[in-house]
């Protein structure tokens, strides 16, 4: 579908890539005009991709929400009147291996946009961890290192101490950062490493199939806590970002999410601020993204986002946890 | 030769044997640290453990003044992963530890081998298993040469017997790391690490080292992205990668064998021993020769690659072999395999002391006498 000029009204250009679409349905949920539906046919992935309803374009407000929320960057929206573009960033490469509706994909798109917009792609180096983000390097077109489970911040320091001009960030799950790697994480904060940590907290071990994580909620059913997490057998969930923020060497700490278009826009701002803080304060910046793992949680992607708001937010409260000295970076 | 700062000058010529021109008096650990500096290491990542702590202390004093990195990590695991990061970013780096700490590093070493990163590791061995003792031992032979970590990788392992060799083999290990894009290991027992001897530093050989154009230094000038990784999920791809790794190990095996042969040519009994045990056995050989026995020494210096070529000239006739180690018998397996592969079924005996106990030359001579009595049947 392309934009056309009809009697003074410029229609937007909205494109759904039926090959990339994983049929998660979060774009349907995000559309304020209710003009997105599943197609009647299946794509090569065996899912029904989404599309605009017949004549949907005339009701489209070109808000870009569907493009913003799509974890796989399958949607492009051009607001031709305001010259706004929503869709895949040039640095965001490749088809992602994530499950339908996984928030980890959305975060990659944001990272690609921020790195591109800040003009730091020639100095940005990512550190992928062990977890579902193990292949993060496939999706952002910069230099990467893939670190052992839990050791991403140590690898990051190895790079930074040798090349202070590089802008190093890690992408880590909660098992990685708060479980096996909790020592490394705290010491990165204690040293005040100039790393940007993107902490994807989905309260579960996603990659290994949905086992109890240090961050799993009380009562949460996982494949290794079949009756739900209880104190006697599993202890309490670890709340990491507040604890990191207590360390002198951590100058910026926020908790956010990407479960809807407004929160995605806010998260992008935070990631941008983290990179600005990295340049300014040369100490640790932590962006915790409370993320949905529909597969691990055994929930449909849209329901997973509802679960996230209802159950994870009370324990992992979104908001700025530590402002850098001199206020939020701009 | 210009002496380094502090430690070096203070100790020059204070030995009971005064240092000759150009010589310095250093402990084994200090010689390693100084040789690493002279080999141009950019970064060293540490965690304290006896008996190797002289290395981090020496480097903590020297590296910052040279504009190089010294980081004391929160654990050996963290230290080896800092090595991964810094080596992946194209820098010459090093870590050191003693047995339990080296155990902790094994996952990281496997990643480094898989991702083909150059780095230099030192194990100043202590007695084990477990926390064991801080006294010197050779109980980590298997761990050092048979992979240690998972996944069937190999890496060059060098075993010095003198403080001079501590320095020389440090320079060699750092060179081989860059030459073959591999971790390299210097493996010595705690006693040698603490031993003072005069030595002379050689010059680091930079010739022919390949450029590190694979390093993650940022896509400056828009070059293609570089990736440091050891995950290759598709079996045929991983098999192809592993075949390349093992072809590299074969090249290393062909080119990098090192050994010392001492009076073995006409010997009826050849002692095989590495590191400090080899040095003691050498004195034992002198004792036995003085007593009229034809005994010689074969001292592997490279433990991987095992110096098979050093054995070749010695299999021209039947001999008796005694392997002496400061462990319960580890290298002896490689000696047996080597002799078998070279077509010999000579008797191979083993003598070992464990847990930090060091054998004496007299003890070794007694063992030779006991196992292979003079005039006994061949
Ligand atoms: C040393 C080690 N232990 C365990 C594993 C297995 N493992 C792979 S991913 C993973 C869990 C990752 O969970 P998390 O960090 O929360 O990331 P997610 O997959 O949820 O994104 C585990 C335990 C491993 N690869 N290495
Ligand atoms: S959000 Fe993307 S992947 Fe999900 S249904 Fe919509 S277009 Fe398809
Ligand atoms: S398992 Fe969970 S975290 Fe991993 S890709 Fe699937 S939805 Fe995402």
């Amino acid at each position: 579908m392309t934009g056309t000029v009809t009697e003074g009204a410029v229609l937007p250009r909205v494109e759904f890539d039926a090959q990339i679409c994983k049929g998660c349905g979060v774009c349907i949920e995000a559309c304020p005009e209710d003009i997105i539906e599943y197609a009647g046919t299946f794509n090569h992935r065996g899912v029904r991709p989404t599309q605009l309803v017949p004549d949907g374009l005339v009701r489209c407000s070109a808000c870009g929400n569907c493009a913003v929320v799509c974890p796989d960057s399958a949607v492009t929206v051009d607001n031709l009147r305001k010259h706004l573009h929503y869709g895949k960033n040039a640095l965001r490469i490749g088809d992602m291996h994530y499950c339908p509706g996984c928030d980890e994909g959305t975060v990659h798109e944001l990272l690609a946009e921020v790195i591109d917009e800040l003009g730091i792609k020639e100095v940005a180096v990512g550190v992928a961890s062990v977890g579902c983000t193990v292949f993060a390097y496939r999706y952002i077109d910069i230099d990467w290192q893939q670190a052992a489970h839990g050791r991403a911040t140590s690898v990051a320091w190895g790079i930074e101490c040798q090349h202070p001009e590089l802008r190093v960030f890690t992408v880590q799950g909660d098992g990685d950062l708060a479980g096996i790697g909790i020592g490394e994480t705290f010491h990165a904060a204690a040293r005040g490493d100039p790393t940007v940590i993107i902490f994807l907290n989905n309260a579960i071990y996603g990659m290994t199939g949905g086992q109890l994580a240090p961050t799993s909620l009380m009562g949460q059913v996982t494949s290794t806590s079949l009756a739900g997490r209880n104190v006697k057998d599993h202890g309490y969930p670890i709340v990491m970002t507040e604890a990191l923020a207590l360390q002198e060497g951590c100058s910026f700490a926020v908790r956010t999410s990407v479960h809807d278009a407004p929160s995605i826009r806010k998260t992008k701002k935070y990631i941008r601020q983290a990179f600005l803080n990295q340049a300014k304060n040369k100490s640790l910046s932590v962006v915790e993204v409370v993320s949905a793992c529909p597969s691990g949680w055994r929930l449909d992607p849209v329901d997973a986002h509802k679960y996230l708001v209802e159950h994870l937010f009370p324990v992992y409260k979104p908001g700025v946890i530590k402002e850098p000295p001199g206020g939020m970076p701009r | 030769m210009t002496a380094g700062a502090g430690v070096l000058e203070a100790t020059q010529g204070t030995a009971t044997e005064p240092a000759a021109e150009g010589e310095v008096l250093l402990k084994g650990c200090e010689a390693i640290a100084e040789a690493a500096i002279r080999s141009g290491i950019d970064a060293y990542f540490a965690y304290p453990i006896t008996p190797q702590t002289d290395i981090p202390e020496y480097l903590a004093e020297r590296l910052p003044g040279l504009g190089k990195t010294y980081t004391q990590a929160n654990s050996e695991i963290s230290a080896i992963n800092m090595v991964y990061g810094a080596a992946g970013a194209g820098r010459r780096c090093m870590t050191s530890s003693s047995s339990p700490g080296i155990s902790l590093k094994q996952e990281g070493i496997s990643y480094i081998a898989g991702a083909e990163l150059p780095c230099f590791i030192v194990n100043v061995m202590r007695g084990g298993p477990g926390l064991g003792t801080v006294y010197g031992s050779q109980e980590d032979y298997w761990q050092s040469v048979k992979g240690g970590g998972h996944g069937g990788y190999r890496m060059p392992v060098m075993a010095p017997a003198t403080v001079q060799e501590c320095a020389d083999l440090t320079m060699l290990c750092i060179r081989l790391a860059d030459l073959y894009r591999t971790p390299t290991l210097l493996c010595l027992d705690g006693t040698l690490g603490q031993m003072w001897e005069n030595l002379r530093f050689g010059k680091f050989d930079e010739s022919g080292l390949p450029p590190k154009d694979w390093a993650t230094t940022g896509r400056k000038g828009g070059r293609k992205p570089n990736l440091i990784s050891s995950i290759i999920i598709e079996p045929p791809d991983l098999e192809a990668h592993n075949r390349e790794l093992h072809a590299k190990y074969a090249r290393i095996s062909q080119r990098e064998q090192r050994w010392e042969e001492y009076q073995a040519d006409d010997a009826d009994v050849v002692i095989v021993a590495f590191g400090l045990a080899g040095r003691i056995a050498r004195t034992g050989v002198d004792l036995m020769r003085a007593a009229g026995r034809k005994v010689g020494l074969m001292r592997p210096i490279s433990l991987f690659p095992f110096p098979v070529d050093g054995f070749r000239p010695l299999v021209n006739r039947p001999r008796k072999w005694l392997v002496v180690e400061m462990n319960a018998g580890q290298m002896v397996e490689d000696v047996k395999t080597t002799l078998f592969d070279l077509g010999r079924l000579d008797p191979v005996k083993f003598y070992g002391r464990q847990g930090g106990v060091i054998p004496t030359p007299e003890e070794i001579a007694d063992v030779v006498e006991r196992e292979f009595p003079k005039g006994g049947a061949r």
Side-chain angles (χ1 to χ4, degrees):
Chain A
M1 276 161 260
T2 42
T4 44
V5 185
T6 47
E7 298 166 29
V10 182
L11 292 184
R13 184 186 287 131
V14 182
E15 270 166 24
F16 287 79
D17 189 322
Q19 293 305 301
I20 294 175
C21 177
K22 293 177 182 164
C24 70
V26 299
C27 53
I28 299 178
E29 186 73 11
C31 178
E33 309 298 337
D34 213 6
I35 52 170
I36 305 175
E37 63 175 14
Y38 283 116
T41 50
F42 292 87
N43 68 10
H44 71 293
R45 296 180 197 276
V47 301
R48 291 191 295 140
T50 49
Q51 60 185 25
L52 281 187
V53 299
D55 290 332
L57 204 58
V58 290
R59 279 153 54 205
C60 178
S61 62
C63 69
N65 277 7
C66 50
V68 169
V69 299
C70 176
D72 289 280
S73 317
V75 193
T76 315
V77 175
D78 283 299
N79 183 332
L80 298 174
R81 255 168 14 107
K82 296 187 183 161
H83 304 288
L84 293 173
H85 172 81
Y86 308 92
K88 195 170 177 172
N89 177 273
L91 274 187
R92 237 293 284 127
I93 49 170
D95 265 8
M96 291 192 292
H97 70 285
Y98 299 115
C99 306
C102 176
D103 282 348
E104 303 199 348
T106 310
V107 174
H108 287 306
E109 178 65 41
L110 298 183
L111 266 167
E113 287 176 12
V114 168
I115 291 167
D116 197 22
E117 289 165 21
L118 289 176
I120 57 171
K121 71 173 180 211
E122 298 198 346
V123 284
V125 177
V127 180
S129 61
V130 170
C132 284
T133 53
V134 66
F135 292 127
Y137 58 80
R138 290 181 179 171
Y139 310 132
I140 305 179
D141 202 14
I142 55 167
D143 278 5
W144 283 89
Q145 293 201 18
Q146 198 291 310
H149 196 19
R151 320 301 170 201
T153 53
S154 298
V155 171
W157 171 246
I159 303 168
E160 285 156 353
C161 73
Q162 295 305 300
H163 297 282
E165 79 285 2
L166 295 180
R167 307 288 291 277
V168 183
F169 64 95
T170 68
V171 186
Q172 298 176 258
D174 45 293
D176 193 84
L177 177 142
I180 192 168
I182 191 166
E184 278 70 11
T185 312
F186 266 97
H187 281 270
R191 282 190 302 269
D193 294 353
T195 314
V196 171
I197 295 181
I198 306 295
F199 168 26
L200 295 156
N201 179 7
N202 56 18
I204 206 154
Y205 282 19
M207 177 175 246
T208 41
Q211 298 79 23
L212 186 85
T215 43
S216 294
L217 306 178
M218 295 314 298
Q220 187 175 331
V221 174
T222 72
S223 68
T224 51
S225 59
L226 292 171
R229 182 176 195 152
N230 68 74
V231 173
K232 187 176 138 291
D233 297 323
H234 315 111
Y236 298 96
I238 298 183
V239 182
M240 278 301 287
T241 305
E242 279 82 351
L244 291 172
L246 286 175
Q247 312 309 311
E248 198 63 35
C250 171
S251 52
F252 178 60
V254 296
R255 185 179 292 114
T256 178
S257 69
V258 291
H259 69 282
D260 61 14
S263 66
I264 291 169
R265 292 188 163 101
K266 198 187 285 172
T267 298
K268 180 174 171 185
K269 190 184 80 183
Y270 287 147
I271 293 175
R272 187 186 163 87
Q273 285 172 326
F275 277 99
L276 293 174
N277 185 56
Q278 174 184 53
K280 187 160 164 260
N281 288 313
K282 311 245 180 305
S283 51
L284 195 73
S285 311
V286 184
V287 181
E288 174 179 342
V289 185
V290 181
S291 312
C293 172
S295 300
W297 297 356
R298 315 285 193 261
L299 287 173
D300 151 288
V302 173
D303 291 341
H305 283 151
K306 290 182 184 147
Y307 178 88
L308 182 150
V309 173
E310 276 171 36
H311 295 91
L312 272 75
F313 278 178
V315 181
Y316 304 114
K317 296 181 191 67
V320 177
I321 294 164
K322 187 174 195 176
E323 265 196 27
M328 294 294 274
R330 285 170 193 284
Chain B
M1 180 177 56
T2 48
V7 185
L8 260 184
E9 271 157 63
T11 56
Q12 236 175 342
T14 60
T16 38
E17 270 178 71
E21 181 63 24
E23 284 194 342
V24 286
L25 175 69
L26 286 177
K27 274 188 198 184
C29 282
E30 292 169 346
I32 292 166
E34 178 62 30
I37 292 173
R38 289 165 188 247
S39 308
I41 55 156
D42 298 301
Y44 169 75
F45 303 97
Y47 190 84
I49 181 169
T50 311
Q52 61 86 53
T53 304
D54 290 304
I55 300 175
E57 286 183 352
Y58 193 95
L59 291 172
E61 184 181 340
R62 294 288 308 284
L63 284 178
L66 297 168
K68 307 292 173 81
T69 303
Y70 171 92
T71 297
Q72 186 163 316
N74 54 302
S75 70
E76 289 86 349
I77 299 177
S78 194
I80 193 71
N81 285 285
M82 289 174 179
V83 166
Y84 180 97
R91 290 298 163 86
R92 202 170 268 170
C93 38
M94 166 178 177
T95 186
S96 66
S97 192
S98 292
S99 310
I102 294 290
S103 294
L104 279 182
K105 290 183 194 293
Q106 293 301 337
E107 183 203 29
I109 297 173
S110 174
Y111 271 64
I112 288 170
E116 295 193 84
L117 299 178
C119 74
F120 174 50
I121 305 159
V122 183
N123 181 8
V124 185
M125 291 178 282
R126 48 192 266 174
L131 197 48
T133 175
V134 297
Y135 291 101
S137 116
Q138 299 182 326
E139 274 152 7
D140 303 344
Y141 177 90
W142 279 334
Q143 186 195 49
S144 305
V145 306
K146 307 285 178 187
H150 61 282
Y153 65 89
R154 310 303 299 261
M155 63 176 161
V157 179
M158 299 291 159
T162 62
V163 174
Q164 179 67 54
E165 276 188 354
C166 285
D168 294 346
L169 295 176
T170 291
M171 288 189 173
L172 177 69
C173 280
I174 294 174
R175 175 176 166 77
L176 295 184
D178 275 0
L179 192 59
Y180 293 103
R181 281 187 68 176
T182 176
T184 55
L185 179 71
L186 187 76
C187 188
L188 60 147
D189 74 280
T191 309
L192 181 57
Q194 296 302 316
M195 197 183 283
W196 294 86
E197 279 185 299
N198 287 326
L199 79 151
R200 206 181 286 267
F201 283 104
K203 223 176 132 18
F204 184 76
D205 180 7
E206 290 275 0
S207 65
L209 296 181
K212 298 183 174 178
D213 49 10
W214 39 262
T216 58
T217 49
R219 294 184 57 195
K220 296 187 189 79
R223 70 149 162 74
K224 268 190 25 243
N226 281 340
L227 169 68
I228 302 299
S229 164
S230 65
I231 182 170
I232 301 175
I233 213 82
E234 293 301 330
D237 297 345
L238 183 56
E239 184 182 54
H241 174 69
N242 286 353
R243 284 200 167 128
E244 271 172 35
L245 286 182
H246 285 270
K248 175 166 84 179
Y249 302 150
R251 282 199 303 282
I252 292 173
S253 296
Q254 220 170 33
R255 296 177 193 158
E256 307 301 344
Q257 297 181 26
R258 282 165 176 78
W259 66 89
E260 181 201 12
E261 188 215 293
Y262 181 62
Q263 308 217 1
D265 192 30
D266 67 342
D268 300 322
V269 179
V270 180
I271 301 175
V272 187
F274 72 96
L276 189 66
R279 180 179 176 148
I280 296 165
R282 194 185 151 117
T283 309
V285 167
D286 289 341
L287 286 180
M288 289 178 271
R289 286 267 169 187
R293 279 216 68 171
K294 283 187 177 168
V295 179
L297 171 72
M298 166 68 195
R299 179 171 67 89
I301 295 173
S302 59
L303 304 185
F304 180 82
F306 195 71
V308 177
D309 292 344
F311 284 81
R312 276 183 216 284
L314 302 179
V315 296
N316 53 347
R317 64 179 177 87
R319 298 175 202 258
K320 296 169 182 119
W321 303 83
L322 174 71
V323 180
V324 179
E325 298 180 65
M326 284 151 60
N327 60 43
Q330 300 186 14
M331 182 181 69
V332 61
E333 293 181 357
D334 288 338
V335 174
K336 284 180 179 166
T337 311
T338 300
L339 291 173
F340 183 81
D341 286 351
L342 295 176
R344 295 229 62 97
L345 293 170
D346 293 345
V348 179
K349 301 283 184 182
F350 172 77
Y351 182 70
R353 296 304 302 262
Q354 300 177 55
V357 180
I358 298 170
T360 64
E362 292 77 12
E363 196 178 340
I364 294 173
D366 286 349
V367 174
V368 170
E369 215 42 63
R370 191 174 71 223
E371 297 287 359
F372 305 116
K374 198 172 178 182
R378 273 201 160 174

